[in-house]
Amino acid sequence: MIMPDIKPISDLRNYSDVLRDVSVGAPVFLTKNGRGRYAIIDIQDYEKTRATLKLMDELAKGKK
């Protein structure tokens, strides 16, 4: 099991280093004041998630 990549939001000062750590299936989670706040995901993961949500919405419409 891969450990999540968690960084403080202050690391965005060197955003290229943060973005370098993002890959398909491996988002980077950013914290603010020690609490999870944002997730940076690869565009392929984003598109896959959007397609899945659209499909689920269409299935829910069909079920009604």
Side-chain angles (χ1 to χ4, degrees):
M1 181 174 177
I2 298 174
M3 294 295 294
D5 195 354
I6 301 171
K7 300 178 182 291
I9 200 165
S10 61
D11 280 8
L12 284 179
R13 289 184 200 126
N14 301 315
Y15 67 89
S16 60
D17 291 339
V18 173
L19 295 179
R20 189 176 306 122
D21 293 337
V22 177
S23 62
V24 175
V28 171
F29 300 99
L30 300 176
T31 61
K32 184 174 182 179
N33 298 323
R35 301 180 73 108
R37 183 74 177 161
Y38 304 100
I40 302 174
I41 62 172
D42 183 84
I43 194 71
Q44 287 177 318
D45 287 334
Y46 173 78
E47 290 172 349
K48 182 179 177 182
T49 300
R50 290 214 20 158
T52 301
L53 289 172
K54 185 177 179 180
L55 176 61
M56 297 300 287
D57 185 50
E58 293 297 319
L59 289 172
K61 287 178 186 176
K63 202 170 191 181
K64 286 182 183 178

